[in-house]
Amino acid sequence: MLIKKPADIRSSEITTPQIYQDRRRFFKLSALTGAAALLAGTATRRARAEGEKLPNVQPGPFGTNEERTPLEDVTRYNNFYEFGTDKSDPALYAHTLRTHPWTVRVEGHCENPGSYALEDFLAPHALQERVYRLRCVEAWSMVIPWVGIPLGDLLKRFQPTSNAKYVEFVTLLDPEQMPGQKSPVLNWPYREGLRIDEAMHPLTLFAVGLYGEVLPNQNGAPLRLVVPWKYGFKSIKSIVAVRFTEEQPVTSWAQQNPTEYGFYANVNPAVDHPRWSQKKERRIGEFFRRETLPFNGYADQVAGLYSGMDLHQYF
Ligand SMILES: Nc1nc2c(c(=O)[nH]1)N[C@H]1C(S)=C(S)[C@@H](COP(=O)(O)O)O[C@H]1N2
Ligand SMILES: [Mo]
């Protein structure tokens, strides 16, 4: 028997017509608006392809004016273990990922759970550009102009209840599209999580593009998280589920090696990784190493989230 995988099914197919109507009303959509209209060609609902220009992107807050990492490096030096563990693997192999149609499941403690076609999930938010530093736990960094939507604005529409203390994110599980999942380097699917206040913080972004264009597959198309004050592994790619939870979610790297990777993973030059220092980093494309800044340079915005916490214990 041939069974469609969730990723192949549009929300209009999985829900009854009545529920679908209600959902359209919930999203106040008479036609595609906002991000959805920009991601799809408005008239046709055809998905914009990888690398296509995203129109009407407005500059957003919190940007850095540091020199941007060239597009070639942003798209050819990646961590995306679903396509291999070498930095060059994702650019070579991520083309097997089908990013359209794409469904996002919203689950757990919220008033509006359900499976949403990506277009409906993103509508009606406007797209912003945010130039953020991304600091990998392996002590390299980049400056990337993301295009996306503040995660908090998006999550509010699903009305998390007071039991929602954390948000869990899950990557697609499909070893045919993601051949790296055939080897047990991680406990698939890749999972990440944030405390609800971290998820709602205005710096936290759901990205759908970079350099003004639709997100390349190797960078986590069609939807990836960007949390610029945390090590890169928190910024989970190709997300298919968002779950509001009461308990702290189990996250892939913390599960794989709890002594080396913590749940919080805030960039912190004062807390070394057990196998290397975190005091400095190599900005991709530069020769001399730079000092790593607390919270990756976003301390003014986010240090308050952790006041009173021992960041050596909660690393
Ligand atoms: N699903 C998934 N998300 C992931 C990863 C991964 O292997 N799988 N790698 C993480 C790590 S370690 C980093 S540093 C960033 C890299 O993002 P970039 O390749 O867009 O620079 O993605 C993060 N998100
Ligand atoms: Mo990373």
Side-chain angles (χ1 to χ4, degrees):
M1 189 166 74
L2 189 70
I3 302 174
K4 282 192 183 180
K5 292 185 294 301
D8 296 326
I9 307 173
R10 290 188 44 81
S11 66
S12 52
E13 291 178 52
I14 7 188
T15 50
T16 64
Q18 186 51 48
I19 294 173
Y20 185 65
Q21 285 305 316
D22 292 348
R23 204 168 274 166
R24 301 287 290 185
R25 223 169 296 133
F26 160 61
F27 285 116
K28 294 193 182 62
L29 281 178
S30 51
L32 285 176
T33 53
L38 305 180
L39 275 180
T42 335
T44 57
R45 256 190 119 96
R46 178 185 65 82
R48 284 188 199 281
E50 178 177 342
E52 246 184 272
K53 203 90 201 148
L54 289 163
N56 302 328
V57 177
Q58 302 301 316
F62 307 115
T64 167
N65 46 27
E66 285 174 284
E67 199 181 324
R68 298 163 177 206
T69 304
L71 179 65
E72 297 74 63
D73 293 325
V74 174
T75 57
R76 285 180 210 166
Y77 190 88
N78 302 98
N79 266 340
F80 201 170
Y81 276 22
E82 284 84 342
F83 298 101
T85 54
D86 282 357
K87 304 284 177 260
S88 53
D89 284 341
L92 292 172
Y93 304 122
H95 58 87
T96 55
L97 175 66
R98 291 189 303 274
T99 59
H100 188 83
W102 192 267
T103 305
V104 182
R105 303 191 312 270
V106 180
E107 301 171 342
H109 296 287
C110 67
E111 303 294 346
N112 298 309
S115 285
Y116 299 98
L118 181 64
E119 295 83 353
D120 295 337
F121 180 75
L122 296 175
H125 304 280
L127 293 178
Q128 297 181 7
E129 178 171 88
R130 302 261 185 108
V131 186
Y132 281 164
R133 289 177 288 273
L134 178 99
R135 167 61 156 81
C136 180
V137 73
E138 297 164 282
W140 49 265
S141 64
M142 298 193 191
V143 175
I144 303 176
W146 301 105
V147 177
I149 297 164
L151 179 64
D153 293 353
L154 243 159
L155 294 187
K156 270 180 221 150
R157 292 193 1 258
F158 302 94
Q159 295 182 283
T161 68
S162 57
N163 290 328
K165 304 280 196 292
Y166 296 88
V167 189
E168 181 184 2
F169 306 91
V170 186
T171 294
L172 178 70
L173 177 64
D174 184 343
E176 296 311 313
Q177 292 186 63
M178 297 178 144
Q181 291 177 336
K182 290 176 183 168
S183 71
V185 261
L186 286 172
N187 182 13
W188 309 111
Y190 197 102
R191 289 165 200 276
E192 258 308 333
L194 295 171
R195 227 168 50 188
I196 190 85
D197 57 341
E198 299 176 322
M200 293 297 183
H201 191 279
L203 265 175
T204 307
L205 204 67
F206 250 11
V208 297
L210 54 78
Y211 270 101
E213 298 174 354
V214 171
L215 210 53
N217 284 4
Q218 59 266 37
N219 295 94
L223 182 68
R224 62 94 51 87
L225 182 65
V226 182
V227 197
W229 72 95
K230 293 177 180 284
Y231 292 119
F233 67 84
K234 297 296 286 184
S235 293
I236 179 173
K237 297 175 168 181
S238 305
I239 295 166
V240 293
V242 175
R243 190 174 298 139
F244 296 99
T245 68
E246 192 155 13
E247 307 295 329
Q248 182 175 301
V250 173
T251 57
S252 291
W253 280 104
Q255 184 182 39
Q256 204 261 0
N257 197 334
T259 58
E260 298 195 356
Y261 309 102
F263 174 79
Y264 282 92
N266 292 316
V267 174
N268 191 344
V271 176
D272 289 339
H273 184 280
R275 290 183 281 138
W276 60 82
S277 164
Q278 293 290 20
K279 289 189 179 58
K280 291 192 172 179
E281 66 199 55
R282 192 172 70 86
R283 182 70 49 86
I284 297 300
E286 291 181 356
F287 182 74
F288 293 106
R289 293 198 301 162
R290 303 172 164 246
E291 304 281 320
T292 286
L293 300 172
F295 299 104
N296 201 24
Y298 300 95
D300 287 351
Q301 285 80 34
V302 299
L305 294 174
Y306 311 100
S307 55
M309 277 176 69
D310 178 352
L311 298 180
H312 289 264
Q313 186 185 348
Y314 297 102
F315 63 97

